[in-house]
Amino acid sequence: MMEFNDLDARVARERIDMTQLWNARSEADQRRRHSFAGSMNWETRNGRQYLYSRKGRVSKSLGPRSDATERVFAAFTEGKRDNAARLKTLKGEMERQAGVLRALDAGRLPVTAAQTLRVLGDHSKRTNIRVVGTNALYAYEALAGVVFSSSSTATGDIDFLVDDRNRLKLVTDDGDPTGLARLIRAKVDRTFQPRRAGDFRLTNDKGYMVEFIRPQPNPVWRKRPGADPLEEGDVAPAPIVGLQWLVNAPAVDAMVLDARGFPAPMLCPDPRFWALHKLWLSRQHGRQPVKKARDASQGHLVMKLVRERLPHLAFDEDFRAKLPGELRRMAP
């Protein structure tokens, strides 16, 4: 039976501490990527020294050696060292806190899903990717301070909804453009492979699947900027009817914990839209009966969660007025 229970008070406190550590780590890492990426060194040209900045394949002269460039070099070198020390300290604190959370059995999201979330968040210049499907339940329980039953959250894949109205931009550590499959293999699990070039799904050697989907355009032949793969043969998000409601819905942002106790940021559609979309799916004639029953159970579960624990997200007339007709028929 699908249900939820209150989050343990001790777990709630430890989660807050981990979230604070994650936020500090994210700020330091953003500073590293923005201000201290690459290297800076003196190079000799025609018998004169120049300060050069190198980021990936890009090299730029900052001028001949002078008091001004000496100060630039000193600030970069000292700042990069201090930033690295801060990141190392925060990493140690997060590992300690993750151990506490593991001891409390507080981990929820599968590790591979969490790693993928962190990688996409760290390496995306413009992230319009939302988690949909069963894994969104981890975000909703975090928002509401509850824990869903294992029967509610069991799944062997994670679905990422891509907003194909804008082209996704992913970069390597050096700031060079990269594709989805190449990034996930390099940073998450090198065994992830598509079934064929241009597939929407990657599967690793343990059978875990990472899937990328997008709304089916109307008309179907309409070209969207983000529909094409980022690289030749890369993942191509699959167009699916009904996802336009989730990509247009307001977003909610939550910090979830993986099975090892480490945090992962998750962006999902407003749980009201998610629940109504699940109920809509449960009534689609072409859907497998087992999936339809699960869709209905999950939809009703999240509707109950919203009513009892998220009262600021009301199923009121203002909300109903914003719904497309097919979802309005699912609303209470």
Side-chain angles (χ1 to χ4, degrees), residues 14-15 17-18 21 93-101:
E14 299 296 345
R15 285 175 61 104
D17 290 346
M18 178 58 99
L21 287 170
E93 288 297 309
M94 288 180 66
E95 288 174 348
R96 180 195 62 78
Q97 187 65 12
V100 172
L101 289 162

Side-chain angles (χ1 to χ4, degrees), residues 146-163:
V146 303
V147 178
F148 288 121
S149 64
S150 58
S151 63
S152 306
T153 57
T155 183
D157 62 8
I158 184 167
D159 298 316
F160 289 103
L161 174 58
V162 176
D163 183 351

Side-chain angles (χ1 to χ4, degrees), residues 214-228:
R214 63 186 177 91
Q216 180 169 289
N218 185 20
V220 295
W221 45 260
R222 185 177 182 182
K223 192 69 172 176
R224 293 285 192 174
D228 293 331

Side-chain angles (χ1 to χ4, degrees), residues 9 15 24 48 57 93 111 120 183 277 280 291 322:
R15 285 175 61 104
R48 192 175 185 185
R57 295 189 292 266
E93 288 297 309
V111 170
L120 291 176
L183 181 64
H277 178 257
W280 175 82
K291 289 186 176 181
K322 298 173 184 177

Side-chain angles (χ1 to χ4, degrees), residues 4 27 61 79 118 123 133 150 153 209-210 254 303:
F4 55 82
E27 290 172 4
S61 173
R118 289 190 288 264
H123 293 270
S150 58
T153 57
M209 294 179 287
V210 177
M303 287 179 68

Side-chain angles (χ1 to χ4, degrees), residues 259-280:
R260 298 181 304 150
F262 286 96
M266 186 182 287
L267 187 71
C268 299
D270 181 312
R272 296 171 295 180
F273 284 85
W274 188 93
L276 296 177
H277 178 257
K278 279 288 185 179
L279 295 178
W280 175 82

